[in-house]
């Protein structure tokens, strides 16, 4: 809840929350209503200006309604972003936990692996995987999620190491708390 309050106090945070809220609202609205079929082409109505011919935002060159396309596109954008963020969180937390909980030599290998993977830009990896495996949404989402997860792993590893050295975690270990219980209760 403190993060939400901090976002509301910040001007850029508030603007970001408004934009994400509008995107989510657009995605929800598109599930039940779009003014026109977003894929239906009407070449006679191509390049209509906004507020003309019954089209609030106008049409594209094929005569498809721009508002309908924006509403329908919001679903895909939101789903893609949520999936990529979920993959990034899973990969990042797994690598971070592996780096701090395993023996030092394995942790050092994980840190070296993340440093090597950080050297490659996420979009470059996405383009290479798309060229190799085909241009599916899943390929791009996975590439972006893994790339962002590697960057998250670096930050999460440092924070996890800091938390594992705190007094309350050491007290939990002294009280007999197991490693995974400590991770679940105090670290995650």
């Amino acid at each position: 809840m403190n993060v939400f309050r901090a976002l509301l106090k910040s001007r850029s945070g508030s603007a970001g929350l408004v934009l994400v809220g509008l995107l989510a609202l657009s995605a929800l609205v598109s599930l039940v209503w779009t003014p026109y079929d977003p894929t239906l082409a009407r070449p006679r109505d191509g390049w209509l200006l906004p507020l003309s011919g019954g089209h609030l935002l106008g049409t594209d060159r094929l005569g498809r309604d721009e508002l309908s396309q924006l509403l329908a596109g919001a679903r895909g954008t939101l789903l893609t972003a949520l999936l990529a963020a979920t993959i990034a969180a899973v990969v990042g937390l797994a690598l971070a936990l592996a780096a701090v909980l395993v023996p030092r030599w394995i942790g050092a290998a994980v840190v070296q692996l993340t440093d090597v993977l950080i050297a490659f830009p996420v979009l470059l990896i996405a383009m290479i995987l798309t060229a190799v495996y085909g241009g599916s949404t899943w390929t791009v989402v996975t590439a972006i999620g893994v790339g962002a997860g590697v960057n998250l792993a670096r930050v999460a590893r440092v924070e996890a190491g800091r938390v594992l050295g705190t007094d309350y975690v050491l007290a939990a270990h002294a009280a007999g708390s197991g490693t995974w219980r400590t991770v679940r209760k105090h670290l995650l």
Side-chain angles (χ1 to χ4, degrees):
M1 199 57 156
N2 292 335
V3 173
F4 188 69
R5 282 191 201 125
L7 282 174
L8 288 177
K9 287 181 183 179
S10 164
R11 190 179 308 168
S12 60
S14 297
L17 282 176
V18 167
L19 290 174
V20 170
L22 285 173
L23 179 66
L25 182 66
S26 299
L28 290 174
V29 166
S30 73
L31 291 173
V32 293
W33 175 79
T34 54
Y36 297 93
D37 181 7
T39 60
L40 181 63
R42 294 186 182 105
R44 276 189 321 209
D45 294 339
W47 297 116
L48 288 178
L49 294 175
L51 299 174
S52 63
H55 299 279
L56 186 64
L57 298 179
T59 61
D60 64 2
R61 65 185 175 90
L62 297 176
R64 296 176 297 200
D65 184 59
E66 292 285 348
L67 178 61
S68 299
Q69 288 183 346
L70 282 172
L71 290 173
R75 282 182 292 193
T77 301
L78 192 60
L79 181 64
T80 300
L82 287 174
L83 287 173
T86 302
I87 292 170
V90 168
V91 168
L93 290 176
L95 286 173
L97 289 176
V100 297
L101 294 177
V102 297
R104 282 185 187 252
W105 66 274
I106 296 174
V110 170
V111 169
Q112 292 296 321
L113 174 69
T114 58
D115 287 344
V116 168
L117 292 175
I118 285 174
F120 296 102
V122 175
L123 291 179
L124 177 64
I125 293 171
M127 288 188 291
I128 290 170
L129 289 176
T130 300
V132 172
Y133 295 111
S136 74
T137 304
W138 293 108
T139 304
V140 174
V141 166
T142 303
I144 291 172
V146 169
V150 170
N151 289 322
L152 173 66
R154 187 171 205 171
V155 175
R157 178 185 56 85
V158 173
E159 187 63 20
R162 186 193 65 77
V163 169
L164 287 176
T166 58
D167 291 340
Y168 62 88
V169 171
L170 296 174
H173 275 299
S177 177
T179 302
W180 293 111
R181 178 180 165 89
T182 304
V183 165
R184 190 175 61 248
K185 188 171 183 180
H186 299 290
L187 192 61
L188 292 179

